[in-house]
Amino acid sequence: MPGIVEQGTKGKIRLFEGERSLVLTGLLGFLLAAVCGLWTLINGGEVASGGDVSKAFSFNAALGIFLLSTAAILPFSAMGVRSRAVFRRVYIGLALYSYGAETIQNFRGVNPRFVVDGSAFDKAVGNVFAFVALMLVIFYVYVGVQFFRSRAYKLNPAVALSVRYAMLAIVVSFAAGIWISVNQGRYVGAQGNIIWLHGLGFHALQAVPLVAWLAGRTSMKEAARRTLIHLTGISYFLGLLAIGWQTMNGHAILEWSALPLAAGFCFLISLAAGALALRKAVLEFRPGSRSGWASGI
């Protein structure tokens, strides 16, 4: 039974294959997040006059997860060796600048994105940071497009399908990030907080491909696996749109109203699909099971 790894012209393709440098860059984010988290526990997050080390903690951890997830799916993009190398080198450079600007500036007491009464150096760092953020979006959109091409789908239909849904959610996250920049902050209206929309969209890159990975390690028929991936991707994306709508209205996403409840229902459907795939994969892993783990990675 074919799983998430398909037999290609050069043999099996594996998660993270050929992306050691990108993986290490992602792990660096966790190391920096640990340093920032420890500092915050001991000294508190705020640093006069505009820094907040706790924000550097969340940023570094989030970017680290994002890079690791990207390194996992990149081998399935069907990109050429040279194209992948260019993307990898550029993205590592952009990520390193982002780590440095976010961490160092917050420790110096400066908001790295929205500089208030800062020096010329601080404003320059902020301006370059804005350009780096734009480049992160542009280069990632290029990678996302690869998964909508037939080459990636033929290489591994399940991965391509799941990543397509994830990329749609990531576009929403990027749009939310631009919204934060234009808005000069994460808050909108009375209680709206754009950061929720910005963060949750990126997590689709873990949620939807994970369901595809689990479903690919079961004896489920191909049509059933595709249905499960569609259900996960569509429900996650609809939940994200509901949160975006709620935020645009300037309301909190945790209030008891129609849009947050609709978002919660959509995410529960996505979670249930993942739980179903996990249960079936675990049951088929039992000793003596006829199919066992189908096509391992």
Side-chain angles (χ1 to χ4, degrees):
M1 181 64 61
I4 196 168
V5 177
E6 299 290 334
Q7 189 72 26
T9 57
K10 297 183 179 180
K12 285 187 177 181
I13 297 176
R14 298 180 180 275
L15 296 171
F16 305 104
E17 184 177 322
E19 298 301 332
R20 181 174 180 271
S21 298
L22 199 57
V23 168
L24 291 176
T25 307
L27 293 176
L28 175 61
F30 288 105
L31 177 61
L32 292 172
V35 172
C36 295
L38 183 61
W39 173 277
T40 300
L41 287 174
I42 297 174
N43 302 296
E46 295 185 2
V47 178
S49 56
D52 190 338
V53 179
S54 66
K55 292 181 178 178
F57 161 77
S58 59
F59 177 89
N60 290 331
L63 183 55
I65 294 172
F66 183 62
L67 292 176
L68 286 176
S69 302
T70 301
I73 66 169
L74 201 57
F76 300 92
S77 66
M79 293 171 63
V81 174
R82 182 175 299 179
S83 297
R84 275 179 64 181
V86 170
F87 170 81
R88 183 187 309 115
R89 291 165 185 168
V90 171
Y91 230 73
I92 288 174
L94 295 173
L96 291 176
Y97 181 89
S98 300
Y99 284 147
E102 184 73 24
T103 305
I104 294 172
Q105 290 296 84
N106 274 300
F107 269 109
R108 293 181 64 242
V110 179
N111 187 320
R113 297 180 188 82
F114 311 114
V115 180
V116 179
D117 298 326
S119 65
F121 171 79
D122 296 327
K123 292 178 180 178
V125 171
N127 290 334
V128 174
F129 205 176
F131 174 77
V132 166
L134 179 61
M135 290 298 101
L136 286 169
V137 173
I138 292 174
F139 274 85
Y140 212 82
V141 168
Y142 171 75
V143 169
V145 168
Q146 309 308 310
F147 286 93
F148 286 86
R149 293 180 172 176
S150 60
R151 289 178 58 191
Y153 190 82
K154 291 176 181 177
L155 187 65
N156 192 303
V159 173
L161 182 60
S162 65
V163 174
R164 286 175 183 181
Y165 281 113
M167 289 299 173
L168 292 176
I170 287 172
V171 168
V172 174
S173 283
F174 281 142
I178 295 172
W179 185 10
I180 291 173
S181 297
V182 173
N183 191 59
Q184 290 292 293
R186 64 178 64 182
Y187 299 106
V188 59
Q191 294 180 304
N193 189 343
I194 310 171
I195 202 67
W196 288 104
L197 180 64
H198 182 56
L200 283 171
F202 286 120
H203 286 302
L205 192 58
Q206 296 93 47
V208 190
L210 177 60
V211 173
W213 181 75
L214 289 170
R217 299 170 86 81
T218 70
S219 60
M220 295 171 64
K221 294 182 179 180
E222 186 67 29
R225 289 202 297 270
R226 285 199 303 267
T227 298
L228 205 58
I229 295 170
H230 281 303
L231 183 63
T232 305
I234 292 173
S235 59
Y236 197 102
F237 188 70
L238 289 177
L240 199 63
L241 292 183
I243 286 178
W245 193 353
Q246 177 78 353
T247 303
M248 289 180 65
N249 291 335
H251 299 305
I253 67 168
L254 296 180
E255 70 176 24
W256 288 95
S257 59
L259 286 172
L261 289 174
F265 179 71
C266 289
F267 287 131
L268 280 176
I269 292 176
S270 183
L271 182 63
L276 177 63
L278 175 62
R279 180 178 181 277
K280 192 164 182 60
V282 169
L283 288 175
E284 293 188 15
F285 180 67
R286 291 179 302 178
S289 172
R290 186 177 64 178
S291 57
W293 285 101
S295 296
I297 291 181

